[in-house]
């Protein structure tokens, strides 16, 4: 069994069902192979860590390039937020892996936030710190933007009147992006 095929299926199942809801047997069944062929690539924990690492590395590469291309001033934070939103929209597996994690999935696997999230957050904080007023906590500002993005992607926003507008609604997406820019501008004063 090809390692990339096992990784793709395992990542998709972890994203759909969470770590706790995905068994090696389920991965094997989805591939149409025996469990022994899956475990030749890695155990459940190793496959999950590899999926998280792959999602992180893809995001990190995009965010590093965005930081290198950042326009001056507060537009840099607008740019980074836009890139982050677009990346999350285009990479639903990474978004779903973290959403599961945030509701205490794979809680027995510690340190992922420190290994994957913290370095990225610190790099962005260093890049934008000069644009953020002294009375605004940069970590909370970035956390707020991240939470907003993942909340919008996960549950949408209440529509006027009734119903929910989701991230696949292009108008809702444009309005959400404008809202994020407005939030940034208000926070930066």
């Amino acid at each position: 069994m090809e390692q990339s095929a096992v990784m793709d299926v395992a990542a998709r199942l972890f994203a759909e069902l969470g770590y706790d809801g995905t068994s090696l047997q389920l991965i094997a069944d989805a591939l149409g192979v025996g469990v022994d062929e899956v475990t030749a690539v890695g155990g459940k924990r190793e496959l999950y860590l590899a999926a998280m690492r792959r999602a992180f590395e893809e995001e990190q590469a995009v965010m590093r390039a965005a930081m290198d291309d950042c326009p001056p001033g507060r537009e840099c934070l607008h740019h980074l937020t836009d890139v982050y939103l677009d990346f999350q929209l285009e990479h639903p597996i990474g978004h779903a892996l973290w959403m599961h994690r945030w509701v205490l999935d794979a809680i027995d696997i510690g340190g992922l936030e420190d290994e994957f999230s913290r370095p990225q957050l610190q790099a962005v904080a260093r890049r934008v710190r000069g644009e953020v007023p002294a009375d605004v906590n940069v970590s909370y500002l970035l956390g707020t933007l991240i939470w907003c993005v993942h909340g919008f992607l996960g549950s949408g926003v209440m529509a006027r009147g009734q119903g929910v507008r989701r991230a696949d609604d292009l108008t809702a997406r444009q309005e959400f992006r404008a809202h994020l820019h407005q939030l940034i501008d208000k926070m930066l004063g």
Side-chain angles (χ1 to χ4, degrees):
M1 174 71 16
E2 191 174 315
Q3 181 176 358
S4 65
V6 173
M7 285 302 311
D8 289 346
V9 168
R12 182 179 52 80
L13 288 171
F14 291 138
E16 290 175 10
L17 305 172
Y19 175 79
D20 297 334
T22 302
S23 67
L24 287 174
Q25 184 64 57
L26 191 58
I27 296 168
D29 290 348
L31 288 162
V33 300
V35 172
D36 56 328
E37 291 184 64
V38 173
T39 57
V41 173
K44 179 178 169 179
R45 180 184 177 95
E46 291 77 24
L47 292 171
Y48 178 73
L49 291 172
M52 293 297 284
R53 177 170 303 287
R54 181 167 65 178
F56 163 72
E57 288 173 351
E58 290 170 349
E59 179 182 316
Q60 185 181 44
V62 167
M63 293 307 294
R64 279 188 178 161
M67 284 189 284
D68 290 344
D69 294 337
C70 239
R74 73 176 50 197
E75 291 305 312
C76 180
L77 193 51
H78 286 228
H79 172 69
L80 294 175
T81 301
D82 287 343
V83 169
Y84 184 77
L85 173 60
D86 292 341
F87 179 85
Q88 296 303 325
L89 284 162
E90 295 165 9
H91 296 84
I93 286 180
H95 160 72
L97 288 170
W98 281 107
M99 291 300 289
H100 280 290
R101 178 103 179 134
W102 293 333
V103 293
L104 305 180
D105 183 58
I107 199 66
D108 55 320
I109 301 177
L112 296 184
E113 291 76 12
D114 287 331
E115 183 177 352
F116 300 132
S117 297
R118 187 176 306 277
Q120 181 87 353
L121 198 58
Q122 289 173 332
V124 173
R126 282 190 302 273
R127 181 66 177 88
V128 301
R129 184 165 279 123
E131 304 305 323
V132 178
D135 65 335
V136 174
N137 183 311
V138 176
S139 293
Y140 278 103
L141 172 59
L142 296 176
T144 298
L145 295 170
I146 291 167
W147 300 329
C148 285
V149 166
H150 286 281
F152 176 68
L153 295 177
S155 61
V157 64
M158 297 299 286
R160 289 187 185 161
Q162 105 183 51
V164 175
R165 296 176 65 209
R166 304 222 179 260
D168 60 354
D169 176 333
L170 292 178
T171 302
R173 193 182 302 175
Q174 291 168 336
E175 291 171 357
F176 177 69
R177 187 181 308 275
H179 174 74
L180 288 176
H181 287 220
Q182 184 179 36
L183 177 63
I184 291 165
D185 291 342
K186 298 280 186 187
M187 289 300 297
L188 298 185

